[in-house]
Amino acid sequence: MFLAMDTVFDQCSIAVLDASGQVLSAHTESGKRQQTQQILPMIDAALLEANLKLADIQALIFNRGPGAFSGIRINTAVVQALSVAHDLPCVGVSSLQAIAQCAYQQYDVTEVYSALDARMQQVYFGHYKIEQTEEIAAIMQPVSTADDDSTEQLLDYDSQTTLNLPIAGNGSVLLKPQEEQVCHDDVWPDAVVIGQIGIAQFMHTGGTDAANALPKYLRNQAWKTLKEQGKA
């Protein structure tokens, strides 16, 4: 049994899944202002609905970012605290990979760019392609080029992609599309998608302890104000 959570996509989303990815309980509340008050009661409610306790959970899965700093901080802190208190391993999932996986599920695209609005005239960006083996379910995996090992990066608004692949996520409309390039700006993952990716990752490579359950911001000094960053 696995407990997955997301507070990065301007929501509070919790899911309990079994090892096959079947959903036992899932709830999402939109908006981000009440995440700190919502997340723990929602975890309790999801476990109760699934007739489970934290002692029954094999691993904690969370959205590690990139994305909104406050959202990343909330679910990372909760996962780390639960991990320490209950001696549970953690699995961090990329928000961009989750967008790609959601695009695969919604639109059956097998290769896609993910773009998430990062504000400050930039988007978080990644390239993903479906990978399926006998050991794991069909999961979007990051693609890196020979001259660029980074799979997650920041792109300026109005940048153009190298390939004419579909772009998913709310940052897709902020890039300059190629001719007839498709944008799926309505793709918005929840904790179920985070959980499905995390389970496949856990089965393949295992989890980590709380000390190594780290967020991914991409933007340096993300915690500073715009004025402190020289952006205002």
Side-chain angles (χ1 to χ4, degrees):
M1 303 299 174
F2 296 84
L3 175 64
M5 64 191 73
D6 169 58
T7 56
V8 176
F9 289 115
D10 291 349
Q11 63 189 4
C12 190
S13 185
I14 305 296
V16 179
L17 307 93
D18 66 17
S20 69
Q22 181 178 350
V23 179
L24 304 180
S25 177
H27 297 279
T28 298
E29 297 288 341
S30 61
K32 60 183 180 180
R33 294 189 177 183
Q34 302 299 320
Q35 289 171 323
T36 52
Q37 289 79 32
Q38 291 172 328
I39 187 166
L40 291 178
M42 286 180 67
I43 289 173
D44 288 340
L47 290 170
L48 181 63
E49 183 176 344
N51 196 27
L52 297 171
K53 298 179 181 179
L54 278 170
D56 302 314
I57 298 299
Q58 189 171 8
L60 303 167
I61 302 170
F62 70 105
N63 187 342
R64 63 163 177 78
F69 171 74
S70 58
I72 296 173
R73 181 184 61 187
I74 291 167
N75 67 187
T76 301
V78 170
V79 162
Q80 289 175 334
L82 293 177
S83 174
V84 171
H86 299 275
D87 193 26
L88 294 171
C90 309
V91 180
V93 170
S94 164
S95 59
L96 296 175
Q97 186 179 10
I99 290 172
Q101 186 69 18
C102 195
Y104 166 66
Q105 294 176 356
Q106 285 184 222
Y107 294 103
D108 200 30
V109 294
T110 57
E111 188 171 5
V112 68
Y113 290 119
S114 291
L116 179 64
D117 189 6
R119 312 299 181 184
M120 301 184 196
Q121 302 296 305
Q122 291 182 312
V123 299
Y124 300 115
F125 182 83
H127 180 189
Y128 297 86
K129 187 175 183 179
I130 205 70
E131 179 178 301
Q132 186 169 8
T133 69
E134 294 181 358
E135 291 79 20
I136 62 173
I139 297 293
M140 282 285 193
Q141 299 293 348
V143 176
S144 60
T145 61
D147 58 350
D148 184 6
D149 291 332
S150 63
T151 57
E152 299 173 334
Q153 56 186 300
L154 281 163
L155 289 185
D156 293 332
Y157 285 1
D158 294 324
S159 295
Q160 194 168 57
T161 62
T162 303
L163 302 175
N164 194 350
L165 295 173
I167 314 174
N170 70 349
S172 61
V173 294
L174 302 173
L175 300 174
K176 183 179 180 181
Q178 299 189 39
E179 186 176 355
E180 298 183 356
Q181 189 170 22
V182 177
C183 294
H184 298 301
D185 62 336
D186 60 335
V187 172
W188 203 249
D190 59 10
V192 172
V193 177
I194 299 292
Q196 292 166 341
I197 298 172
I199 291 169
Q201 184 175 318
F202 181 80
M203 296 302 184
H204 186 60
T205 60
T208 186
D209 59 16
N212 291 296
L214 302 175
K216 184 70 173 286
Y217 294 115
L218 286 189
R219 180 178 284 136
N220 292 330
Q221 300 179 329
W223 54 273
K224 291 190 174 183
T225 65
L226 295 182
K227 183 175 182 181
E228 290 172 327
Q229 295 178 52
K231 301 289 185 179

